Amino acid sequence: MKRKLSIALAGAALVAVPTTALAASYGFNLFATVAVNCTVNHQLTGFGAVEGDAVSLGSFREYCNAPTGYELIVSYAPGTLVGTRIIAGSDEILLNGSGQAVLSRATGPRIRERPIAAVPGENGFDSDHLDLQIIPS
C-alpha cells in the first residue's frame, strides 16, 4: 500500500511540473549542409519565330541555390556573332566576338524562366551554337 501511494505521488509530481521546465532540460542542435546546385535548361518553345528584327531562340529556365548569387554566361565560337544582340527577358547584351559574355547576374538564389531572342549583327548568324551556363559567385 505504501508503495502504491509513493508511485502515485511521484506521478502526480511529474504531471504538476510545467512542460517548459522539462523542455529546457533536453535539447539538441541540428545542422544541415546543402550542396550548391545551379542548372540552366533550354526549351525550344517558339524557336525561330521572328518579331521585328529579333529571332526567337526559345526560352530557358535558370535555377541556382548559391547563397551569394551567380552569373549567367553566354558562350559562342570566338570571332563569330560580332554585333549580335542577345535579349533574355529584360536583360540585353551586345556580343563582341570574344566568345563569352555575361548575360545577367543575380545576388542570391533564384529560379526563373524567360524567353531568349537574338538580333543578328552585320555578319548574320555566323555560328551554329550558343551555350548558356551558370557560374556560382
Side-chain angles (χ1 to χ4, degrees):
M1 182 72 140
K2 286 185 182 182
R3 188 174 210 186
K4 287 182 182 178
L5 182 60
S6 62
I7 290 174
L9 288 175
L14 284 175
V15 171
V17 175
T19 56
T20 55
L22 289 175
S25 62
Y26 298 100
F28 62 92
N29 291 324
L30 176 65
F31 295 96
T33 302
V34 177
V36 173
N37 182 22
C38 298
T39 59
V40 61
N41 295 315
H42 181 250
Q43 300 169 352
L44 293 175
T45 308
F47 184 83
V50 178
E51 187 176 318
D53 293 341
V55 177
S56 173
L57 302 177
S59 64
F60 65 94
R61 182 178 187 269
E62 61 191 81
Y63 166 83
C64 190
N65 68 351
T68 56
Y70 61 91
E71 292 182 335
L72 182 64
I73 308 291
V74 175
S75 299
Y76 55 98
T80 63
L81 300 175
V82 175
T84 298
R85 281 188 312 140
I86 303 295
I87 306 159
S90 61
D91 294 320
E92 186 175 321
I93 57 169
L94 185 64
L95 303 181
N96 61 10
S98 68
Q100 193 172 52
V102 176
L103 179 58
S104 62
R105 290 182 172 85
T107 57
R110 178 179 281 179
I111 299 172
R112 67 179 168 172
E113 187 169 330
R114 51 193 173 147
I116 184 167
V119 177
E122 288 183 23
N123 296 330
F125 294 123
D126 56 351
S127 179
D128 63 348
H129 77 278
L130 190 72
D131 296 319
L132 297 172
Q133 112 186 83
I134 293 181
I135 308 293
S137 301

